[in-house]
Amino acid sequence: MMTPKYAPLFEPYRLNNGVEIKNRLTVAPLTIYDSGPNGEMTETGRRFWENRFKGFGLFIMPFTNVHPSAVGFESPQAISESDLPTLREYACLAHAQSEKAVVQIAHSGMRADPSMTKGHDVLAPTGDYYGRFRAMTETEVQDSITSFANAAELIMQAGLDGIEIHGANGWLIQQFVSAATNLRDDNWGGTLEKRLRFPLAIVDAIDAIRRKHNRPDFIIGYRFSPEESGDHGITMKETFALVDALLTKPVQYLHVSLWDFYKKVRRGADNSLTRMQVLHERIAGQVPLFGAGNLYTADDILCAYQTGWAESIAIGKSVMLNPDLVELIATGRESEIETTFDWDKADFYRYTPAMLQGTLAGTDFYPPSRQTGVRSKTPYF
């Protein structure tokens, strides 16, 4: 029997398009670095995902490439009809475990891996001096917007419930938003208003697909990183402008990418307050805000939700460590939730080879191991 204090985590909520999500628990997009050469699901990937998110209200399928030039690491893709079998497999897997499943659609931009882009150039808002990536032409910018819409249409065709536009973590969309990486002087860069045109055009293009197929129930979410370091990096003031603009569009939720749920504002707002609080106040209930960041235990998740700063808590690392996380909470076994990776029972976690390597290296991208802890901390965001 569930411990009563966790009951609020299991209350449903309704999106502005009428879709009901059965609880306040979301599976954050988990990067497992494990797909076939054309984004296919592998046996190790299937093993990892099996029952991993059973009981969650929403599953966010991680980084899914929208174009051959988008690929930066082993990951699924939604580029052509040849990707439909894999997308349908994810849909079946997700719906067997979770009420709703959306796909995070993304483009690596300057961080694409040229060995994986199948002859396509590595593209970015602005090129670099060394020629590692080049600036997108006007046609390529438009084609990229179209590729996001095409991906959404494939995902819709595959039977999934929506998409999450990946505008966070330094990938292409954030590269357009940031003055540190967008030095263009055309319609897609310069002023903040022009730097915001790319993500907003993607939302419009996907909404057009939704209207074309008369699918108002198809979910559109948007994930963003609220701040960057550096003199020209994104500030909270600029993120407020992005949020304000997104709230004029037909989106169903916003999702903040954070390493720490309680991280305070760096600049552009009151730095005595947390990023979650100021963003939630800015959104003012117009759409749900999803919060994330270093939440492992049932109490961590509950306390984050009870701040009132998020309508849903997106959980990543604890899902990696606990293949039955929601069941543990729902059956009063929250004391069994693991918070560190134990090499003595490594098979229990069903990690992919890349995840095991990252854990062995001690990067904080994955949960710390009980034996070695964290050896290197990610400097970004």
Side-chain angles (χ1 to χ4, degrees), residues 295-302 318 325 329 334 337-339:
L295 305 171
Y296 283 92
T297 69
D299 283 343
D300 290 342
I301 298 164
L302 179 64
S318 193
L325 180 65
I329 299 172
E334 61 274 2
I337 293 174
E338 300 207 20
T339 58

Side-chain angles (χ1 to χ4, degrees), residues 267-337:
R267 56 187 176 166
D270 186 342
N271 59 15
S272 70
L273 302 176
T274 67
R275 293 166 171 175
M276 286 300 308
Q277 181 178 354
V278 298
L279 286 166
H280 195 264
E281 290 175 355
R282 188 78 178 195
I283 294 167
Q286 295 178 71
V287 297
L289 177 63
F290 293 8
N294 212 32
L295 305 171
Y296 283 92
T297 69
D299 283 343
D300 290 342
I301 298 164
L302 179 64
C303 288
Y305 177 64
Q306 289 180 329
T307 62
W309 302 335
E311 280 68 40
S312 183
I313 305 300
I315 306 159
K317 291 177 180 177
S318 193
V319 175
M320 294 181 187
L321 290 175
N322 299 278
D324 52 354
L325 180 65
V326 174
E327 181 182 352
L328 293 177
I329 299 172
T331 58
R333 297 157 55 208
E334 61 274 2
S335 63
E336 298 176 30
I337 293 174

Side-chain angles (χ1 to χ4, degrees), residues 4-51:
K5 70 176 181 177
Y6 300 115
L9 297 176
F10 293 86
E11 294 173 356
Y13 62 99
R14 191 173 296 276
L15 302 175
N16 59 16
N17 63 347
V19 173
E20 185 172 274
I21 308 298
K22 71 176 183 180
N23 62 39
R24 306 297 174 138
L25 304 170
T26 294
V27 181
L30 304 177
T31 304
I32 65 172
Y33 294 103
D34 193 272
S35 289
N38 293 303
E40 307 94 334
M41 197 183 300
T42 66
E43 284 303 318
T44 51
R46 289 185 187 96
R47 185 168 178 263
F48 176 80
W49 291 120
E50 183 181 2
N51 293 329

Side-chain angles (χ1 to χ4, degrees), residues 62-110:
F63 196 114
T64 298
N65 301 287
V66 301
H67 190 272
S69 65
V71 185
F73 55 92
E74 297 84 354
S75 44
Q77 57 188 41
I79 298 172
S80 71
E81 289 191 354
S82 65
D83 299 315
L84 282 171
T86 296
L87 292 171
R88 288 180 176 133
E89 183 175 1
Y90 274 103
C92 289
L93 182 71
H95 288 147
Q97 301 181 55
S98 180
E99 286 287 298
K100 301 295 179 185
V102 301
V103 180
Q104 187 184 74
I105 51 177
H107 192 301
S108 297
M110 68 175 67

Side-chain angles (χ1 to χ4, degrees), residues 364-378:
D364 65 352
F365 192 78
Y366 299 109
S369 78
R370 185 171 302 174
Q371 287 80 2
T372 58
V374 174
R375 297 176 182 172
S376 61
K377 292 190 176 182
T378 305

Side-chain angles (χ1 to χ4, degrees), residues 321 338 341-350 370-371:
L321 290 175
E338 300 207 20
F341 181 98
D342 185 353
W343 282 99
D344 292 334
K345 50 181 287 187
D347 286 347
F348 167 78
Y349 309 104
R350 307 197 309 264
R370 185 171 302 174
Q371 287 80 2

